[in-house]
Amino acid sequence: MLTVVNEDGSTPSGSSLLDEVVREGARRMLAAALEAEVNAYIAELAGERDESGRRLVVRNGYHQPRKVTTAAGAVEVKAPRVNDKRTDPQTGERKRFSSAILPPWCRKSPKVSEVLPLLYLHGLSSGDFVPALEQFLGSSAGLSPATVTRLTAQWQADHTAFMDRDLSATDYVYVWADGIHLRIRLEEAKAAVLVVMGVRADGTKELIALADGYRESSEAWSGLLRDCARRGMRAPVLAVGDGALGFWKALAEAFPETREQRCWVHKTANVLDSMVKSAQPAAKRAIQDIYNAEDKDQARKAVAAFARQYGAKYPKAVKKITDDEDELLAFFDFPAEHWIHLRTTNPIESTFATVRLRTKVTKGAGSRAAGLAMVFKLVESAQARWRAVNAPHLVALVRAGARFERGHLVERPETRAA
C-alpha cells in the first residue's frame, strides 16, 4: 500500500500514517472474517439442493459498501451477499443469511457504544459528541445528537427492565452491598447509588440490583430488598457490607436468615480514624493479623491481643472491633478459598473505581434516571470481565448447608441428613 505522506507525518486526508495503517489492517481483517463466515455458511449447506440438483445456497456478489465506526476509526466494508433460496416449512418465508460479525443494522462497534455512557457521565452534552468523536474516530457515522438521545432513552429502558426482571430462577449464595457516592447527574448531593452484587451457585459474580437512594437509609435499602424478594430472590447465605449501612436493618427484615459479614476495609479505616497518626501503622498491622489469621480461634486471640495493646489509650477504636467481632469473623465459617472474597466489599469497590475516576469532575445536576442508566450500562459492560470466585464448585455446597471448619469441608449435606 503506497501512500503520500506530508512532512508532519500526516496523509492528505489529515490523519497520521499510523492511523491509516491501523484502519487498513482493520478493514482487511474484517473483510477476511466476513468472507470466512460466508464460506462456512455455504459449505455447511452445500447439500441443500432443489429438484434439479442445483444448490439452494450460493454466493451472490457483495452488498453496497458502508462505513462502520470502530475503535480503530471508520472502516469501509463490503459485506459478501448470500442467495439463500430455502423456505421455512412453517411460515413459507424465504430464509436469510445474517452475519453474526456484522449485522445489517450495525454502523458502529459495541466498544464505541461503550464509550458513549463514559462521555455522558463525564459531562459531555449530546451536542458535543459529534465533533469530539469525529476527531478521534475519523467519522461521525451513527453518532449524531439524535442518536445519542435515542441511546440514553434505550439505556433507561434497559435499566428499568433489569430492575423488573424475575429473580426466582437465579440463586445468589453470597451478596455484597454498598452505597456508592458518584456525584454525577443526581438531583441531591447526598444521594447514592445502592448496589447489590451476588455470587451465583456456579461461582460467577453478577449484578443483582442498582438503584438510587441514601447510603445510610434503612428505608431505601428496605424498599430495594423487599422488591428483590417480591421478584423471587432467595435469601443469601451470607451478606457482606459496611457496618454503617442502613442495609443491615433492611436485611434483617427482608432476609432474616442471612448471616452478616462486616467489611474489613471499611472497618480498618474507621478504627484508624480514631487513633493518632503515629499509632496507625502498628495498629493496621495488628488488624491485619486478625483477618489474616489461620482460623477463627486464632482470629479471636488476635482480637484479644489488639484490645490489650490499645484498649487503655484508644477504647473507642477497640470497641469498634469488639462490638462487631462475630460479624467481622463470620467469613471463617465458609470455605478458605472464599475468604479473600468475603471479608471485604472489594468486588463492588473495584468495579466502581473506574466509574469514579471518569466521573469525579462532572458538575451540575441532571436527570436522575439518566445518571443511573449510564452507571448501569458501565457496570453491565464491566460485568463481562468479572471472574468467578475461587473454588466455584464449593459455592453449591455452601447453599446446600455443608459445614466448614478452619476453612475445610467436614460434613457433606447428604451425610448430615443421613
Side-chain angles (χ1 to χ4, degrees):
M1 179 181 68
L2 297 178
T3 304
V4 177
V5 182
N6 300 325
E7 291 183 1
D8 61 357
S10 65
T11 63
S13 64
S15 60
S16 72
L17 179 59
L18 178 59
D19 290 334
E20 293 286 353
V21 170
V22 170
R23 276 196 287 270
E24 177 62 17
R27 186 194 65 78
R28 293 186 181 187
M29 291 177 65
L30 180 56
L34 292 173
E35 290 283 351
E37 182 184 34
V38 166
N39 291 338
Y41 181 81
I42 293 175
E44 182 181 354
L45 300 171
E48 298 281 346
R49 297 177 182 270
D50 62 15
E51 296 176 353
S52 301
R54 290 188 293 266
R55 288 188 178 186
L56 293 175
V57 183
V58 295
R59 284 287 297 267
N60 188 24
Y62 292 87
H63 291 283
Q64 288 295 318
R66 56 172 154 147
K67 283 191 174 182
V68 179
T69 303
T70 72
V75 176
E76 186 170 275
V77 179
K78 286 180 63 177
R81 188 161 53 188
V82 176
N83 186 7
D84 194 336
K85 300 177 183 178
R86 297 175 302 151
T87 58
D88 190 313
Q90 295 181 346
T91 64
E93 296 181 356
R94 284 275 297 271
K95 293 187 177 181
R96 294 179 179 274
F97 166 75
S98 181
S99 172
I101 300 173
L102 188 67
W105 46 263
C106 183
R107 292 296 183 273
K108 59 181 176 294
S109 76
K111 281 296 180 184
V112 174
S113 295
E114 188 177 323
V115 169
L116 301 184
L118 295 178
L119 294 177
Y120 190 84
L121 280 171
H122 205 63
L124 193 65
S125 68
S126 58
D128 293 331
F129 273 83
V130 175
L133 288 181
E134 188 172 12
Q135 289 293 320
F136 182 70
L137 299 173
S139 172
S140 60
L143 298 173
S144 68
T147 300
V148 175
T149 301
R150 287 196 299 270
L151 280 174
T152 55
Q154 181 59 53
W155 292 332
Q156 291 181 53
D158 291 345
H159 178 237
T160 300
F162 174 80
M163 292 300 293
D164 288 339
R165 76 196 190 285
D166 179 34
L167 297 175
S168 61
T170 307
D171 185 14
Y172 299 106
V173 180
Y174 303 132
V175 298
W176 298 276
D178 205 352
I180 306 296
H181 294 281
L182 295 174
R183 297 191 299 276
I184 44 97
R185 299 181 177 271
L186 297 178
E187 295 166 357
E188 300 181 47
K190 294 183 180 180
V193 177
L194 307 184
V195 185
V196 182
M197 289 171 52
V199 176
R200 298 162 59 110
D202 62 1
T204 57
K205 299 173 188 172
E206 187 172 275
L207 178 68
I208 301 174
L210 188 149
D212 64 328
Y214 292 91
R215 186 173 184 273
E216 292 81 12
S217 168
S218 59
E219 290 80 8
W221 282 109
S222 290
L224 181 60
L225 293 184
R226 281 198 303 268
D227 182 62
C228 289
R230 176 187 61 79
R231 290 185 283 129
M233 180 174 167
R234 185 179 177 185
V237 176
L238 181 72
V240 187
D242 177 16
L245 292 178
F247 170 78
W248 299 113
K249 181 179 178 181
L251 182 72
E253 295 173 354
F255 302 114
E257 59 269 48
T258 300
R259 294 187 60 185
E260 301 177 10
Q261 169 64 48
R262 298 293 186 268
C263 171
W264 272 102
V265 170
H266 288 90
K267 179 62 70 175
T268 300
N270 291 337
V271 171
L272 296 182
D273 282 346
S274 302
M275 309 174 78
V276 297
K277 286 190 176 181
S278 60
Q280 289 180 5
K284 185 176 182 179
R285 289 192 293 271
I287 292 172
Q288 290 172 339
D289 289 342
I290 300 173
Y291 62 75
N292 286 328
E294 287 295 317
D295 53 49
K296 183 180 282 191
D297 291 339
Q298 293 299 318
R300 291 195 185 280
K301 291 179 181 178
V303 170
F306 182 85
R308 288 194 302 271
Q309 184 173 356
Y310 296 102
K313 295 182 67 175
Y314 306 105
K316 290 184 178 179
V318 170
K319 190 172 172 48
K320 290 177 184 292
I321 290 182
T322 55
D323 283 358
D324 289 340
E325 183 173 340
D326 289 340
E327 290 79 10
L328 285 167
L329 305 183
F331 73 93
F332 282 109
D333 295 332
F334 295 87
E337 294 88 343
H338 297 172
W339 291 356
I340 192 172
H341 304 288
L342 301 179
R343 60 193 180 206
T344 73
T345 55
N346 185 61
I348 291 180
E349 292 293 334
S350 59
T351 296
F352 278 82
T354 301
V355 179
R356 279 198 180 100
L357 178 66
R358 296 182 182 276
T359 63
K360 74 177 190 177
V361 299
T362 304
K363 297 179 181 179
S367 164
R368 201 169 206 167
L372 280 172
M374 300 308 108
V375 174
F376 168 68
K377 296 308 289 187
L378 289 172
V379 176
E380 185 182 53
S381 176
Q383 184 173 261
R385 298 185 289 273
W386 293 347
R387 68 179 185 88
V389 298
N390 297 335
H393 63 283
L394 295 177
V395 178
L397 289 178
V398 172
R399 167 57 80 189
R403 187 163 59 91
F404 293 83
E405 288 184 1
R406 293 180 171 83
H408 302 292
L409 180 66
V410 296
E411 180 183 359
R412 290 188 177 274
E414 59 268 22
T415 303
R416 183 175 58 183

